Amino acid sequence: MNKNLRKAIIAGNWKMNKNRAEAKTLIEELKPLVANAGCEVVICVPFTNLETALAATEGSNIKVGAENCHFAKSGAYTGEISADMLAEMGVEYVVIGHSERRQYFGETDTTVNLRTKAALEAGLKVILCVGEMLEDRENNITEELVALQTKIALKDVTKEQLKNVIIAYEPVWAIGTGKTATAQQANEVCSLIRATIEKVYDKEAADAMTIQYGGSMNAANAEELVAQPDVDGGLIGGASLKAEDFSIIVKAATNG
Ligand code: 13P
């Protein structure tokens, strides 16, 4: 319940959207709207927009993230991007283990753990995604599943490294569906993730951990979600593609 011990973060996950010109336009629109944000503001963009985003956000309060990275430092991994490559560009954040990576690209808890460790070793901040499918919720195994995903993803991550980890709870059934978890459901699972962190690390680490909610968060429902005691911001898909909507969510987190 110690919200003041941790940083609220609103992060946009642009997914596979926006070409370079569109990216620049969106960032220019966003900059003045979030200039006075009382929370951390991050945009996670496609690899092809990283350079544009880094240049356009220079001198502003908007931080830039990538949407994935590989676990190897370099080598024969055609089409992949290493954590070191991102860090060298000046990228600060990276999303790891998004459910779309797990569903469509064969990511497992084990590769999520490898990628998390590689990103942390490269000095990146990790937005680690966990969350259950609708079937898991219906089978009443959300609690066990999310605890398991969290534990495996963080295997061999030190307490010091954990300071650079943000966890995003994203129920898969709420992503891009317009079906948001209720504020109570979101808080329940975020609180459970915090309890898992306390078990694996300690209370200090759990109290300091930023835990976001993600899944159809928008300008209309953000305020209630981020006001929950264990919800420290959000990971926003669709609504992060519109400057006005994203800035309203940032404002909600500022107030929450
Ligand atoms: P939507 O906000 O579009 O539901 O996407 C959520 C998400 O997957 C963020 O990572």
Side-chain angles (χ1 to χ4, degrees):
M1 298 280 270
N2 300 316
K3 277 199 114 152
N4 54 340
L5 295 177
R6 48 192 178 256
K7 191 160 53 173
I9 304 177
I10 296 294
N13 173 11
W14 288 10
K15 308 191 181 184
M16 197 172 71
N17 291 295
K18 304 286 178 191
N19 64 27
R20 284 191 296 179
E22 290 165 345
K24 189 157 172 18
T25 303
L26 175 54
I27 294 166
E28 293 305 336
E29 275 172 23
L30 195 58
K31 277 198 287 192
L33 295 176
V34 300
N36 298 317
C39 64
E40 179 108 321
V41 182
V42 184
I43 51 169
C44 299
V45 305
F47 292 127
T48 48
N49 285 335
L50 285 172
E51 193 118 34
T52 304
L54 286 165
T57 56
E58 210 179 315
S60 80
N61 61 330
I62 303 174
K63 308 287 170 59
V64 174
E67 299 176 10
N68 187 27
C69 72
H70 197 260
F71 44 80
K73 280 201 159 298
S74 62
Y77 296 101
T78 303
E80 289 287 330
I81 304 281
S82 78
D84 285 342
M85 289 171 178
L86 297 175
E88 191 258 347
M89 288 183 81
V91 169
E92 199 172 326
Y93 284 85
V94 63
V95 176
I96 302 279
H98 192 278
S99 65
E100 285 147 18
R101 301 291 319 167
R102 296 177 191 253
Q103 273 182 290
Y104 310 136
F105 301 98
E107 292 269 357
T108 63
D109 289 330
T110 305
T111 59
V112 169
N113 173 243
L114 292 173
R115 286 175 205 257
T116 298
K117 286 190 294 189
L120 292 171
E121 274 155 30
L124 298 171
K125 293 178 181 145
V126 171
I127 300 178
L128 168 65
C129 301
V130 296
E132 81 287 2
M133 313 268 280
L134 183 59
E135 196 188 352
D136 303 321
R137 182 161 280 269
E138 285 170 353
N139 287 332
N140 209 18
I141 58 165
T142 300
E143 196 171 312
E144 290 85 349
L145 189 93
V146 171
L148 194 77
Q149 287 176 337
T150 305
K151 280 187 185 172
I152 299 176
L154 295 175
K155 186 173 167 282
D156 299 328
V157 170
T158 67
K159 190 180 161 190
E160 194 52 35
Q161 287 178 315
L162 194 71
K163 291 179 183 159
N164 284 327
V165 177
I166 293 106
I167 297 181
Y169 166 55
E170 299 206 309
V172 181
W173 49 270
I175 294 177
T177 57
K179 210 172 162 186
T180 325
T182 64
Q184 194 203 335
Q185 284 171 326
N187 192 63
E188 214 169 77
V189 184
C190 290
S191 151
L192 178 133
I193 293 168
R194 202 176 303 289
T196 305
I197 297 297
E198 183 169 345
K199 251 186 245 164
V200 178
Y201 296 88
D202 57 23
K203 183 161 174 7
E204 187 190 31
D207 281 344
M209 167 69 69
T210 297
I211 304 178
Q212 303 172 312
Y213 168 78
S216 299
M217 196 191 264
N218 58 40
N221 61 27
E223 196 169 340
E224 194 190 359
L225 286 160
V226 299
Q228 297 303 306
D230 278 302
V231 179
D232 310 310
L235 184 57
I236 325 297
S240 73
L241 299 172
K242 294 184 196 127
E244 179 75 27
D245 287 12
F246 190 62
S247 73
I248 292 171
I249 301 173
V250 167
K251 266 193 205 93
T254 307
N255 300 331

